[in-house]
Amino acid sequence: MIFARLRRSRFFLLAASIAAILLIVGVVFYAPAHASQANQGRHPIIRGPLGTTPLQHVIFLIKENHTFDSYFGAFPGVNGATTGLIKNANGTTSTIPLNPMQDSQPELGHDWRGAWVDYDNGKMDAFNIGERQSTSTTNCGVAPYVCYEVASQSLIPNYWALAQQFELSDNNFSSVMSESFPNHLEAIGAATGPTMPQSDIDNPPVSSKDHWGCDAPSGTTVHLLNGQKAYPCWNYSTFADELSANGISWKYYTDVANGYGHQWDSIAAFSQDYAPGVYQSHVFDSGTTLFSDLANGGLPTFSWVTPPGGASEHPPQSTCAGENWTVKLVNALENSQYWSSTALVVTWDDYGGFYDHVAPPQEDALGLGFRVPLLVISPYAHAQDNSANPHVTHVQSEFASVLRLAEELWGLPSMGRRDTQGGDPLHWFDFSRVWNQPLILQQRQCPVRTKPTPTASAASASGAQATSQRSAPTTATAATALLVPADMPHAS
């Protein structure tokens, strides 16, 4: 009897030891990557190899040219604004109401130089100077200051509905203080060049005829951070390469036609991904193949999506038409076999020249750039950082955060670039249960295009500044010398 008890005691001691070892191993392998963020969530974060969370697919939709305030500044419960700051000729500032946004907005400059002027060392009060002196012919330097706009719910009712049903971030930033091309590079490679000095800071010129990568005409160049120029075809590694190396499927859905919209085919800016055989097997039309893949079981694990040009929301394209296209995609996803296992992340690639009141954190010499909206659409979209309103997240993010999301979901190694910065995108989700049912929306009848018509009150409130603004410096060089650091490279 005594020996039997001893054997049982040894057995239980051995079992307890094994359990303790397994517990320690589990903590090591599944602990959050950033311990400082471990207590943000109300439920444990589960990460690891493909299959350890309900999310088996990520769709990354990138639209065009709107700040957070320009679209969601009036949305309830967010860090938004319906007024903005302008800089007067004497260096003082004035507050003006933001103009009601119209369906078709003016195309503003939104280039590297103009953005840094707008930023004004974080004071966010000089958009009326930077966007007047940018490459655009649109003048935001006089009343009614057309780059100061905010959308109403009636202008984008379906975006509001998606934000209310799923999740909206009011702390998401574009990656670069500039325009489309460098931000799209960040969304693919978490960097805009092989090194910081060799990072791209602007778009290829108009003469590239909507070909912005390795298919650009000979002689096409972009400006680099070090002040040099380079042909816009890179060979540093991308997240697509990382996916391929780990046997994870991916596609890049874009406007494959050689017209407006094709310029956002930024996977073509990487020579290894533009190589014969690789490009043809991964790049497909966003207007047709994307929807057939959703309907017929062809969706890969990770997808980048840029819409056809007319649905991009790039001014002066119709906001309504762009919202309708997004609704078409959301409805197709919700009606597909993929709904229960997919996160659709929708964002806008740059600020488009529009005002935003939040100064972006400066992670490095490229930015972050100005805030842009981000929607997380999924059955599990439920902000862990905001228990009072889990439909709004304040977790800091940028375009590389979506790459980090996939890395964490599926146990991929970090690229060691911008994907290491900001908050944890897994806090956009709560996998403890299904929180959101599908929301099938109706596409709208879009209005005939009209130019922005600011209210009389906006024009009146800011009219006193009009004369003084006309007498302010009128060249980009003058404004840049005043507001941009002297060592900031000039894209000229």
Side-chain angles (χ1 to χ4, degrees), residues 178-482:
S178 189
E179 48 200 335
S180 287
F181 187 56
N183 279 295
H184 281 257
L185 296 179
E186 284 274 1
I188 298 171
T192 74
T195 67
M196 182 60 67
Q198 295 171 299
S199 294
D200 171 67
I201 61 170
D202 65 3
N203 289 346
V206 175
S207 59
S208 64
K209 299 179 180 178
D210 300 320
H211 290 76
W212 283 8
C214 302
D215 58 348
S218 176
T220 300
T221 60
V222 293
H223 291 86
L224 306 181
L225 187 63
N226 61 12
Q228 302 299 309
K229 296 181 180 180
Y231 183 69
C233 182
W234 314 98
N235 60 8
Y236 62 93
S237 63
T238 67
F239 190 60
D241 303 334
E242 184 171 315
L243 291 168
S244 294
N246 286 274
I248 296 177
S249 60
W250 64 274
K251 290 181 180 178
Y252 195 97
Y253 299 97
T254 188
D255 191 336
V256 298
N258 292 327
Y260 182 69
H262 182 68
Q263 67 268 37
W264 301 306
D265 175 13
S266 298
I267 199 72
F270 298 93
S271 58
Q272 70 275 22
D273 298 319
Y274 191 63
V278 178
Y279 183 83
Q280 290 78 4
S281 61
H282 289 93
V283 179
F284 299 93
D285 188 66
S286 57
T288 55
T289 309
L290 171 60
F291 294 93
S292 62
D293 280 353
L294 284 168
N296 301 316
L299 187 71
T301 301
F302 191 94
S303 306
W304 287 271
V305 179
T306 65
S312 66
E313 297 164 45
H314 189 296
Q317 304 302 317
S318 165
T319 296
C320 173
E323 183 190 58
N324 277 350
W325 192 91
T326 303
V327 165
K328 179 183 176 182
L329 174 57
V330 173
N331 289 351
L333 172 61
E334 291 173 328
N335 287 319
S336 75
Q337 63 182 289
Y338 299 107
W339 169 244
S340 63
S341 61
T342 298
L344 169 60
V345 181
V346 185
T347 193
W348 284 255
D349 72 343
D350 65 56
Y351 76 116
F354 293 108
Y355 176 79
D356 192 85
H357 79 283
V358 174
Q362 294 308 294
E363 303 285 0
D364 53 41
L366 298 175
L368 302 172
F370 300 121
R371 278 195 314 171
V372 292
L374 183 138
L375 293 164
V376 183
I377 300 170
S378 167
Y380 306 99
H382 192 84
Q384 293 197 42
D385 65 299
N386 189 0
S387 59
N389 181 7
H391 295 288
V392 174
T393 179
H394 309 302
V395 172
Q396 182 182 312
S397 58
E398 55 149 312
F399 303 142
S401 299
V402 183
L403 311 184
R404 176 176 169 181
L405 170 65
E407 291 169 351
E408 295 186 334
L409 283 172
W410 307 325
L412 297 173
S414 171
M415 299 181 75
R417 302 169 187 164
R418 280 284 193 82
D419 54 328
T420 64
Q421 300 178 12
D424 192 337
L426 280 178
H427 289 101
W428 297 339
F429 304 93
D430 184 342
F431 299 122
S432 66
R433 51 165 280 198
V434 170
W435 296 95
N436 311 306
Q437 297 302 315
L439 178 66
I440 303 298
L441 296 169
Q442 298 299 313
Q443 297 185 46
R444 297 185 293 129
Q445 183 68 39
C446 295
V448 176
R449 283 191 189 178
T450 58
K451 293 183 178 180
T453 307
T455 61
S457 60
S460 175
S462 52
Q465 310 302 326
T467 302
S468 61
Q469 290 308 316
R470 290 192 187 98
S471 63
T474 56
T475 66
T477 302
T480 300
L482 173 65

Side-chain angles (χ1 to χ4, degrees), residues 145-168:
Y145 305 107
V146 294
C147 58
Y148 290 76
E149 298 196 348
V150 62
S152 64
Q153 182 177 6
S154 61
L155 182 70
I156 49 172
N158 285 329
Y159 280 143
W160 275 51
L162 290 171
Q164 292 164 337
Q165 176 75 3
F166 299 106
E167 188 175 349
L168 172 67

